[in-house]
Amino acid sequence: MLARQRQTAILELIRQHGGVRVSHLVSRFGVSDMTIRRDLEVLAELGLVDKVHGGATLPGPGSAEEPGFAAKSVRQQAEKRAIAGRAAALVEPGMAVALSAGTTTAALATLLADVRGLTVVTNSIPVADALHQNPRADRTVVLTGGIRTPSDALTGPVAEAAIGSLNVDVLFLGVHGMSPRTGFTTPNLLEAGTNRCLIEASRRLVVLADHTKWETVGMATIAPLSEADVLVTDAGLPPEARAQLAEQVGELVVVEGG
């Protein structure tokens, strides 16, 4: 296969799935890691894709455009693992916790597999799947119903009705963006409403957001920055952003990652 043909095929895969991993492309096309990276560089220079750690995604979205779960899962993987690791330390046996949709909360779910006596409430299909793959007799997983979004969240009136009848100790919330002006945001109106219900059902709010979320603005505000009891982010966050966040959130936790 000629390079141009391969690049066209790669672009089509990215358009179909929202994002791809280099390792997957190496296996699919039977070429070297370096060859795939050169292909992605060509596509990026043409403005057709955005290169990210370990792969590529479609170019950055507008405030109302919502990337799919697969696209987001290839972004900032090391940072998300580090953030999830610190968040897991906040979970104690016997707690009732809520996990919103998101790739960082999905990473957190895999780290909760060995915690005793948990009740986990989630509107995220990947979170529920991660816990289902590591079953425990002393754990209860409550998956809301609702309307499925591109990020594999269940939203809308059905989800909100289910969440409204519950009370949990802590909510781990993933967000699309955060800024002093708009607070924590998402591009999906239904997801914003469902996340607000999760906040109302929780005694404590812990937001999980890597540094790329800073000054990214989705169309709908979930909550002001001041509503977060804890914000866990990574060391890529610039000093001026740390200063602004430290003034507004209850506690700013910065972890090493990447």
Side-chain angles (χ1 to χ4, degrees):
M1 179 181 288
L2 298 175
R4 181 62 60 84
Q5 292 173 313
R6 188 176 57 251
Q7 291 159 13
T8 299
I10 289 171
L11 180 59
E12 182 60 28
L13 285 171
I14 294 173
R15 285 172 172 167
Q16 287 176 4
H17 301 287
V20 292
R21 297 179 186 275
V22 169
S23 58
H24 172 74
L25 296 176
V26 167
S27 175
R28 183 181 182 97
F29 293 103
V31 295
S32 69
D33 180 282
M34 185 61 67
T35 295
I36 292 299
R37 292 185 186 278
R38 282 198 298 266
D39 288 337
L40 295 179
E41 186 68 38
V42 170
L43 294 172
E45 288 177 356
L46 293 171
L48 299 173
V49 305
D50 284 343
K51 289 183 66 180
V52 296
H53 180 73
T57 66
L58 291 175
S63 64
E65 187 175 344
E66 182 175 9
F69 186 87
K72 291 187 288 186
S73 69
V74 300
R75 300 174 180 173
Q76 285 71 50
Q77 296 173 64
E79 290 90 341
K80 290 173 181 178
R81 287 193 296 269
I83 291 168
R86 180 60 64 89
L90 302 176
V91 180
E92 300 177 1
M95 273 187 165
V97 303
L99 274 67
S100 77
T103 50
T104 311
T105 52
L108 171 59
T110 65
L111 302 179
L112 301 183
D114 296 327
V115 182
R116 294 183 292 104
L118 280 187
T119 297
V120 181
V121 176
T122 186
N123 68 321
S124 166
I125 295 170
V127 165
D129 282 346
L131 295 169
H132 179 72
Q133 291 168 13
N134 297 278
R136 287 184 63 101
D138 62 348
R139 182 175 63 219
T140 300
V141 178
V142 180
L143 177 63
T144 72
I147 300 168
R148 187 171 181 169
T149 72
S151 60
D152 286 343
L154 297 175
T155 64
V158 173
E160 293 176 14
I163 295 165
S165 64
L166 303 173
N167 300 286
V168 300
D169 297 306
V170 58
L171 164 64
F172 295 96
L173 178 71
V175 298
H176 174 79
M178 57 181 175
S179 81
R181 181 177 65 84
T182 60
F184 300 110
T185 60
T186 173
N188 190 294
L189 290 172
L190 286 175
E191 192 163 356
T194 303
N195 283 340
R196 284 193 287 268
C197 286
L198 284 168
I199 292 172
E200 291 172 4
S202 307
R203 287 197 303 110
R204 193 175 188 216
L205 172 60
V206 178
V207 177
L208 311 181
D210 68 74
H211 70 277
T212 65
K213 306 299 176 66
W214 178 248
E215 293 293 9
T216 294
V217 177
M219 185 170 63
T221 293
I222 302 167
L225 298 180
S226 59
E227 200 155 339
D229 296 294
V230 181
L231 170 62
V232 187
T233 187
D234 66 89
L237 192 71
E240 61 274 16
R242 298 187 194 193
Q244 291 186 61
L245 287 167
E247 290 181 356
Q248 297 197 52
V249 303
E251 178 184 1
L252 178 65
V253 178
V254 180
V255 299
E256 295 299 324

